[in-house]
Amino acid sequence: MPDTGIQERVASTIIDVLKVDADLVGSDKRIREDLGSDSLDSVTLVMALEDEFGGSINDNDAKSLTTVGDVVSYISRRVEEKSLA
Amino acid sequence: MSRRRVVITGIGMISPLGTSAGECWSALLEGRPSVAATPASWRQYAETASTIWAPLPPIDWPAHGISRIEQMQLDTSGMLTLAASTEAIRDAGIAASLADPKKKTFRLDGLAPERCGVFMGTGVGGITSFYGNAVNHVMSPLKSVLADPTSLPPMPPRFNPFGVPAMMPNAVSALPGIRWSLGGPNLTFSQACAAGTVAVGHAFRAIAAGDVDVALCGGAEYLGDPYGGIFRGFDIARTLVTEGSDPQRANRPFDRDRTGFLFAEGGAAVLVCEEADAARRRGARAYAEIVGYAENFDGYSIMSIEPSGTRIVAMIEAAVRDAGCTTADIDYVNTHGTGTAVNDEIESAVIDQIFGSKPLVNATKSLTGHCIGASGGLEAAVTALSLAHQTTHACHNLEQPIRDLRFVRAAGPYRIDTAITQSFAFGGHNAAVVMKRIA
């Protein structure tokens, strides 16, 4: 079960970048198709996540993140590995 | 078609003196400059002859409408521009309606977007963003080859994917054009220290000619890179003030003991200019009327004013003629007034030759420091405020004037009907805007 703190911080970062309503940011939601993220938004989202959690997210990792849940799991794993600040 | 009249109805300013036009104007009248030692961290890279600068005050970006995300995407010169444009539009009494919440764009109520233009000046645009990416680009590989990477200077945490739109000089025009959905001409002028004056002049011409009805215009600059490399560029050219015994007294345009200009971290000024009848119909308050503009070029040196001042004289006389005035009508000269030996010597001789000792003369840079591409915009704003309030600021730190001109020695009320603000730039660009008091 992902850390609820991380879940909230990821959701709030997505809301900040994509300007979507909070109730839309469920873990099964696809960032591109359901939340309307375009390529500039995706770049911004990676930057905002790096800023929120510290460290860096490489392009290949970023491309593999499809849903909100993918992002939460990925960030949780990186935090656990202490590979993010 | 006869030339249409142009008035200034809104002013937004951020400078070392404050984060609003009101704060900047109060600091000018109270003679409160921003002077501080340059950051100690800069000295690990180089010793500089000048060790003082005019830092910006802390800026609460969200309070100026700049979100956390925008702070990651934009160069500070762009954020300064957006903040000043927001203040100027509010100050002009123009209401804005949200157009696109995701893009954070607005429409200006009652204005046709295609009849609104943007004319902004900047010396170097987003240079600090370019600099940040360049440092990250070069230093990142060093991290893996150095035995002790912690000994590397601090570098930006990422190669910013928004580095290109952040560094391009036209961002200072594009950003307010996007934010306020303005579809008319959107132009950026890059005449170094004269850029803001040139931008205001071209906005005036566009409205006067009927090309647009409303223009956002002015200048923006940000030069505070974390390593002091931009500062060093000016310092090594021996243009900057050396502080002597009292840093607070060092910046002294037109004084015999002047040593150079005070480098400012940055700033922005945005004016809302409008066709006068339309402004009156919507009940706008006007600070001043812009009545004339001229520009020319020295064709002499990339870094130094042509010593005889002949081209500057011709430019100022042309601006006064364009305003339908004579030189005897000018009551107030907002000088370029940098505090360098060469500028002040030539500029004071030019003023003496053209205007004699009749008009008030002051140097806004004696308080703001030199905001480079923003300075012309800031000084146009100060000139408009001086006309509106019939009050102006002193030529700060002036004790022994180099010439017998009517320098403003104390801030206070003065009768000013017609004013000129003039700028001369590295490269050889000269420009001046003439304004009149609203009768």
Side-chain angles (χ1 to χ4, degrees), chain B residues 400-436:
Chain B
Q400 301 179 78
I402 53 172
R403 198 169 271 266
D404 188 20
L405 299 175
R406 193 180 165 209
F407 289 109
V408 183
R409 307 302 289 270
Y414 293 94
R415 172 73 189 254
I416 309 171
D417 290 326
T418 310
I420 189 166
T421 175
Q422 57 199 34
S423 304
F424 324 126
F426 272 14
H429 313 268
N430 308 309
V433 170
V434 180
M435 297 184 198
K436 279 195 170 169

Side-chain angles (χ1 to χ4, degrees), chain B residues 102-168:
Chain B
K102 184 175 167 193
K103 289 170 64 191
K104 220 167 107 190
T105 59
F106 296 82
R107 275 193 210 92
L108 300 182
D109 295 356
L111 302 178
E114 70 281 5
R115 299 291 302 161
C116 302
V118 181
F119 303 78
M120 288 295 293
T122 186
V124 292
I127 190 171
T128 52
S129 291
F130 171 77
Y131 200 164
N133 265 3
V135 167
N136 180 288
H137 180 70
V138 172
M139 289 199 345
S140 294
L142 297 180
K143 269 185 155 178
S144 56
V145 296
L146 282 184
D148 176 17
T150 58
S151 64
L152 284 171
M155 67 170 170
R158 70 175 68 82
F159 190 91
N160 191 329
F162 289 90
V164 171
M167 79 177 178
M168 61 193 202

Side-chain angles (χ1 to χ4, degrees), chain B residues 206-436:
Chain B
I207 297 172
D211 298 338
V212 293
D213 298 326
V214 176
L216 301 186
C217 61
E221 203 76 271
Y222 186 73
L223 302 168
D225 74 84
Y227 314 97
I230 301 170
F231 179 92
R232 187 182 179 185
F234 286 95
D235 184 80
I236 204 162
R238 293 289 180 265
T239 56
L240 301 185
V241 68
T242 47
E243 57 268 43
S245 57
D246 181 358
Q248 297 298 325
R249 310 288 296 166
N251 179 27
R252 45 201 316 143
F254 298 111
D255 190 274
R256 281 182 200 161
D257 293 335
R258 71 197 182 283
T259 55
F261 75 76
L262 179 67
F263 178 99
E265 183 178 4
V270 174
L271 311 180
V272 176
C273 294
E274 296 183 61
E275 191 277 317
D277 288 336
R280 193 167 44 242
R281 279 197 300 276
R282 73 172 186 87
R285 169 261 348 254
Y287 288 101
E289 179 175 357
I290 303 181
V291 289
Y293 173 69
E295 64 192 19
N296 73 6
F297 188 64
D298 271 0
Y300 171 75
S301 159
I302 197 75
M303 277 188 73
S304 194
I305 296 177
E306 191 280 311
S308 75
T310 309
R311 299 297 297 147
I312 291 174
V313 169
M315 181 276 296
I316 292 172
E317 288 177 344
V320 171
R321 268 198 312 278
D322 189 54
C325 302
T326 68
T327 53
D329 293 324
I330 300 293
D331 302 309
Y332 167 66
V333 181
N334 187 299
T335 61
H336 188 52
T338 56
T340 64
V342 172
N343 178 86
D344 293 5
E345 189 62 43
I346 297 169
E347 185 171 19
S348 60
V350 162
I351 292 168
D352 203 356
Q353 180 187 333
I354 300 175
F355 301 115
S357 54
K358 185 217 161 195
L360 298 161
V361 176
N362 68 2
T364 298
K365 293 182 187 79
S366 68
L367 286 146
T368 56
H370 196 343
C371 301
I372 311 294
S375 64
L378 290 164
E379 288 155 21
V382 169
T383 303
L385 288 167
S386 300
L387 283 158
H389 299 304
Q390 293 289 292
T391 296
T392 198
H393 67 82
C395 209
H396 196 64
N397 286 336
L398 179 59
E399 289 172 358
Q400 301 179 78
I402 53 172
R403 198 169 271 266
D404 188 20
L405 299 175
R406 193 180 165 209
F407 289 109
V408 183
R409 307 302 289 270
Y414 293 94
R415 172 73 189 254
I416 309 171
D417 290 326
T418 310
I420 189 166
T421 175
Q422 57 199 34
S423 304
F424 324 126
F426 272 14
H429 313 268
N430 308 309
V433 170
V434 180
M435 297 184 198
K436 279 195 170 169

